[in-house]
Amino acid sequence: MNAAKDSYTSAELAPILSLTERAVRDRATRDAWTSIKRTGRGGGKIFPLATLPEDVRAAIGLAQAKAVEGIATPAVKTAPTDVVMPDWTWNKAKARLRLVGEWRSHTARAAQNGINMKDATEAFLLAYDAGQLLPQVRAVLGGVSMPTLYRWDKSWRENARDVESLADKRGGWANGRKKGLGQIGEDAQHIFLAAYLRPNKPSVALAYRTLETALKAQGLPVPTCSSVRRFLDRFDSLNHDLVVFHREGMKALDDKVGPFLSRNDKILQVGDVLVSDGHVMNFLVINPETGKPQRMTLVGWQDWASRMFVAFEIMPTENTQAIASSLFRAIQNLGRTPGAVYLDNGRAFDNEYFSAKADMAEHDGLYLRLGIQVLHSAPYVARTKIIERWWGDFDRQCSRLIDSYVGSSIDDKPAHMHRNERWHKERQTGLVPTLEEAKRIVAEFARLKAMQPHPTRPGTTPLEVFNAGRGVGLGEDKLAELSRHFLYRREVTPTRCRIRMLGCEFESDCLYGINKKLTAYYSYSDLSQVWIYDEGHLVGVAKPITTVHPVAALLGTEFDLNQLHGKQKEHKNLKRDTLKLATQMSAQYGPAAAQTLSALPHMQPVTERRTTFVAKPSQRPMLEAVQEISAEERNQLEAARQKSLDIARNRPSYEPRESFGSPLERYAYLFDVEVVKGIALTSEDAAWARKYELTDEYREVAALRYEKLRRMYSKTA
């Protein structure tokens, strides 16, 4: 608050005295106020504050006090450096000024009525103490004596009517000195801090005992433990970074003291970024391979924009294949390929199989081949991954409710796992979920989380945001291609159209008639279908077996009958195809086979078998005659062969696709053929690719990524 002015004009006095400017000028003329001619444009008179009547000066002081009440706490100007005045003393200063202003106004009016100042002051304080005058001021100041009122008035007038002169200077805040530092002596400070600021984190009591021993050995006075604690509080209030760093290290300094970035994920769209991490579950699950309970690793994928838990995989350990398998499920549920993935910095996630630095001759460059950018989080920095919040909620709200819960650490173990806790052990069910049950638990919790409010998009849920922005879906061809790159694989041998693995049976008509080892591609988290490959070529998709009613005709429903008839029809069709092929083979090879078999030695009559077998001259022409064809048939075969060669020459050296989800997807496919595989495009596809590279969509969305890939492949060529 600035000090009061030294002089006033009639325009400035008018609102203070609640008069018009003309009334102020008339009173100044009538009472012969001392004035100075005002210089400058307009002229007029200026009235010095010191020469004004007492009631006018009181009115000016009261107006100043009322104006001060709404001003924020200022900085004290009398200190060596500006110090912010505490709120409690600033509020008192404003209340004192208001009381002094009202008192001077009251005594000025009383003087006009012939009442002396002492009597007027006593009457004023009596009304004030009774709560009839300025009750809000009395709530701050309490009772005030006449000498105190005179002292405040004198201080205010002698300090150029500055409200800060009425402030309470107790507490040492006005001179700007630091609080507390030095109260226990510099030697005690150094010894205590040297004992307390250690990485093994000793307690305050232990550090104080060290201080006490050291000071007594030197013959120095020992401060009390309370004084040392107050010193530590004040030191920590200004040097919290030093305390945390010395006792807890650099990571704690980053997590507890250092600044952090606020990321605006509202600008992200669904599918722009998928975040993944591995988390060791805090409850036991039956391992399907060994049959023993163990803590398994849950690898999950979360869409950043919607916070939707898109897919997961449960595995005995966190490995590269588990990440790939769960990513396959994430892409399938997302309905399209994500723009980028944000991965953990662990060994499994940092494998060069997924890295942009992978040797493209040795690996497929899995992410780059799909056009996915890869980001890795900083090591041991959990705050950079939004999925860590999901893990915490899963542990707090779900894992602890499972009977096989074992805790996240030694201190977090349930009571029945401690020694001599017989009562708790007797009440344990001993139930350990299977892998299928664990998957159901995770899926149900993910569904529950998807229905809760979105943390950064009010009025929506993760499921609503995800459904509004997910892709249109992937075709069977695309899913089959992705399965070859992402899923687990194992060697299987089909038997009667079925394969058996992981304690389950899968069946498919594509396995009919095959009696060799095949490769099954599967995901632990979704066994609803298994892709079957033979030497890198897709054979088909096998699904879990479906059972039928044992006596559907007698006790079954209409559904059971339809299911039984459908199965019988499938089996009948398979047998019909076998008979058809067998008939064709018999017609083609049967006569020759019969003639050949009849020529074997053990097929001859007994009289002929006793002599050395020699082929009869008539047999060779007969065998050759079987293999001979007519000239007309030979010409037809030659024409068909020539036609096949012409078709092969004109056919592109890569498999063309009939449909694409978008122009960008078609360009990605042609880029893979032309640049990654090094196969020349047809004239039609090449013309389309060059034309697409001139579009705005390519320049804004894909130019930077594909130009970078083109340069990288040119270097490795």
Side-chain angles (χ1 to χ4, degrees):
M1 177 68 186
N2 296 329
K5 297 176 60 175
D6 295 334
S7 58
Y8 292 84
T9 64
S10 57
E12 294 171 338
L13 291 174
I16 295 176
L17 300 177
S18 301
L19 299 173
T20 62
E21 293 186 36
R22 181 167 182 174
V24 173
R25 290 195 297 270
D26 291 344
R27 181 179 174 183
T29 302
R30 183 174 63 253
D31 296 343
W33 290 358
T34 303
S35 62
I36 303 173
K37 188 172 182 180
R38 181 173 176 273
T39 60
R41 185 175 181 181
K45 296 180 180 180
I46 299 177
F47 306 102
L49 179 63
T51 62
L52 289 174
E54 183 63 25
D55 62 321
V56 176
R57 285 183 289 173
I60 293 174
L62 181 59
Q64 184 184 8
K66 292 180 179 180
V68 166
E69 289 181 350
I71 299 178
T73 306
V76 177
K77 299 183 288 295
T78 58
T81 58
D82 288 351
V83 178
V84 176
M85 183 183 299
D87 290 340
W88 65 270
T89 189
W90 175 243
N91 293 333
K92 278 191 174 183
K94 293 189 296 182
R96 289 173 180 179
L97 179 60
R98 178 66 184 276
L99 183 63
V100 170
E102 293 286 356
W103 169 67
R104 293 186 63 84
S105 178
H106 174 76
T107 54
R109 291 194 300 270
Q112 293 178 353
N113 297 327
I115 303 173
N116 60 41
M117 190 169 188
K118 181 180 178 181
D119 295 339
T121 302
E122 290 178 348
F124 177 82
L125 291 177
L126 182 61
Y128 171 78
D129 291 335
Q132 298 177 358
L133 181 65
L134 302 176
Q136 68 279 13
V137 174
R138 194 177 191 284
V140 177
L141 299 179
V144 177
S145 63
M146 185 181 298
T148 300
L149 192 59
Y150 278 102
R151 177 167 53 83
W152 289 346
D153 177 60
K154 180 181 179 182
S155 176
W156 180 56
R157 287 185 287 104
E158 290 180 351
N159 286 278
R161 299 175 180 268
D162 190 353
V163 67
E164 293 176 8
S165 62
L166 300 177
D168 192 338
K169 302 299 192 298
R170 292 175 296 178
W173 60 266
N175 56 18
R177 73 170 183 264
K178 296 180 180 179
K179 294 182 178 181
L181 295 182
Q183 287 187 1
I184 65 173
E186 292 187 5
D187 293 336
Q189 292 179 30
H190 297 325
I191 296 174
F192 175 77
L193 292 178
Y196 183 75
L197 301 181
R198 300 180 64 84
N200 50 3
K201 296 188 285 189
S203 64
V204 177
L206 179 59
Y208 176 74
R209 285 197 295 269
T210 304
L211 168 67
E212 186 179 23
T213 302
L215 292 181
K216 286 182 178 179
Q218 300 177 22
L220 299 176
V222 180
T224 63
C225 186
S226 299
S227 298
V228 173
R229 287 182 181 275
R230 285 193 293 269
F231 159 72
L232 177 60
D233 292 340
R234 293 163 186 153
F235 181 85
D236 181 70
S237 66
L238 298 176
N239 303 278
H240 188 58
D241 55 333
L242 296 177
V243 175
V244 172
F245 176 72
H246 278 93
R247 291 175 60 86
E248 302 180 50
M250 183 62 72
K251 186 178 186 303
L253 180 67
D254 290 337
D255 294 341
K256 298 181 179 181
V257 182
F260 59 91
L261 300 176
S262 296
R263 297 177 295 196
N264 181 16
D265 58 6
K266 295 181 180 180
I267 62 177
L268 294 177
Q269 301 296 324
V270 173
D272 285 351
V273 183
L274 293 183
V275 184
S276 183
D277 189 21
H279 175 71
V280 179
M281 295 190 295
N282 295 328
F283 60 91
L284 301 179
V285 180
I286 298 295
N287 189 330
E289 302 286 351
T290 64
K292 298 180 180 180
Q294 71 174 79
R295 292 178 64 186
M296 292 193 175
T297 299
L298 176 62
V299 179
W301 291 85
Q302 187 178 28
D303 177 63
W304 193 331
S306 65
R307 296 298 204 281
M308 183 75 176
F309 199 69
V310 184
F312 65 92
E313 186 70 85
I314 300 177
M315 275 300 297
T317 58
E318 182 181 27
N319 56 57
T320 303
Q321 189 60 57
I323 302 168
S325 176
S326 57
L327 177 59
F328 173 82
R329 303 253 71 89
I331 295 176
Q332 186 180 25
N333 294 335
L334 183 62
R336 63 184 179 90
T337 303
V341 290
Y342 197 85
L343 304 179
D344 188 14
N345 204 54
R347 287 180 297 176
F349 283 91
D350 202 25
N351 191 289
E352 66 174 3
Y353 180 63
F354 299 100
S355 173
K357 300 178 182 178
D359 182 2
M360 306 310 290
E362 181 180 357
H363 302 285
D364 289 339
L366 188 55
Y367 284 177
L368 290 179
R369 188 172 182 271
L370 296 174
I372 302 174
Q373 300 297 321
V374 183
L375 301 173
H376 287 282
S377 63
Y380 304 105
V381 183
R383 63 178 181 272
T384 62
K385 296 173 292 186
I386 62 168
I387 199 172
E388 291 289 347
R389 176 61 182 270
W390 202 95
W391 297 143
D393 292 343
F394 180 72
D395 285 341
R396 289 186 295 268
Q397 303 173 18
C398 183
S399 296
R400 294 181 182 273
L401 304 178
I402 301 174
D403 291 339
S404 62
Y405 179 76
V406 295
S408 59
S409 63
I410 295 178
D411 296 334
D412 193 36
K413 289 194 303 183
H416 70 87
M417 297 186 67
H418 292 281
R419 295 181 60 183
N420 302 324
E421 293 292 345
R422 183 177 303 174
W423 190 88
H424 287 281
K425 290 180 181 179
E426 291 175 352
R427 281 155 180 78
Q428 278 301 111
T429 62
L431 297 178
V432 179
T434 63
L435 183 62
E436 288 296 325
E437 292 171 341
K439 290 189 298 184
R440 180 184 57 79
I441 291 172
V442 176
E444 286 297 319
F445 183 77
R447 184 186 63 82
L448 175 65
K449 290 286 292 181
M451 303 301 295
Q452 295 179 0
H454 195 284
T456 60
R457 306 188 185 195
T460 62
T461 64
L463 182 60
E464 293 173 349
V465 178
F466 180 76
N467 288 336
R470 67 184 305 183
V472 295
L474 301 175
E476 290 297 330
D477 295 340
K478 185 65 174 179
L479 288 177
E481 179 185 358
L482 292 176
S483 69
R484 183 170 59 87
H485 294 295
F486 288 100
L487 297 184
Y488 290 95
R489 61 192 68 178
R490 74 166 56 196
E491 202 172 62
V492 294
T493 301
T495 302
R496 300 188 64 183
C497 300
R498 293 186 180 185
I499 60 173
R500 183 175 181 84
M501 63 180 193
L502 300 177
C504 302
E505 284 189 318
F506 302 85
E507 63 179 354
S508 175
D509 293 345
C510 67
L511 301 176
Y512 181 72
I514 298 179
N515 185 27
K516 60 178 296 188
K517 292 186 180 298
L518 304 175
T519 304
Y521 290 75
Y522 62 96
S523 169
Y524 277 96
S525 63
D526 184 6
L527 294 175
S528 61
Q529 53 187 353
V530 176
W531 283 265
I532 308 298
Y533 281 82
D534 180 18
E535 297 180 357
H537 299 284
L538 179 65
V539 176
V541 179
K543 297 185 178 182
I545 61 172
T546 56
T547 59
V548 297
H549 198 287
V551 284
L554 297 177
L555 304 177
T557 62
E558 182 179 356
F559 172 79
D560 296 329
L561 285 173
N562 292 336
Q563 188 181 31
L564 176 62
H565 293 160
K567 288 288 184 180
Q568 292 174 342
K569 185 176 181 180
E570 291 177 3
H571 296 169
K572 185 177 180 180
N573 291 337
L574 291 175
K575 289 190 293 184
R576 185 180 64 245
D577 293 341
T578 300
L579 290 174
K580 183 177 180 181
L581 289 174
T583 303
Q584 293 176 355
M585 291 181 63
S586 177
Q588 184 175 359
Y589 304 114
Q595 294 292 339
T596 303
L597 292 175
S598 64
L600 294 175
H602 60 273
M603 297 297 293
Q604 301 300 316
V606 176
T607 57
E608 297 182 5
R609 273 189 280 148
R610 291 178 180 176
T611 61
T612 303
F613 176 76
V614 179
K616 296 181 179 180
S618 60
Q619 286 180 320
R620 187 175 299 276
M622 180 191 68
L623 294 175
E624 293 178 353
V626 173
Q627 298 176 357
E628 287 182 355
I629 60 176
S630 64
E632 182 180 358
E633 291 176 342
R634 185 179 294 107
N635 293 335
Q636 292 177 353
L637 291 175
E638 182 63 23
R641 188 179 68 85
Q642 190 63 35
K643 183 177 180 181
S644 300
L645 292 176
D646 294 338
I647 294 174
R649 293 192 196 98
N650 297 327
R651 182 185 302 156
S653 54
Y654 59 94
E655 183 179 1
R657 287 179 54 182
E658 297 181 357
S659 62
F660 296 88
S662 64
L664 182 59
E665 183 180 351
R666 180 180 179 183
Y667 182 81
Y669 175 78
L670 297 179
F671 182 90
D672 178 76
V673 172
E674 182 181 21
V675 179
V676 179
K677 297 180 179 178
I679 301 174
L681 299 177
T682 63
S683 57
E684 180 182 357
D685 288 341
W688 185 92
R690 303 292 86 80
K691 183 177 179 181
Y692 179 76
E693 290 174 350
L694 301 177
T695 62
D696 294 337
E697 181 184 14
Y698 175 81
R699 289 195 297 269
E700 296 174 0
V701 177
L704 180 62
R705 180 175 67 201
Y706 286 108
E707 290 302 323
K708 185 184 298 184
L709 289 174
R710 195 183 299 276
R711 289 195 298 270
M712 183 170 58
Y713 279 103
S714 64
K715 293 179 181 179
T716 58

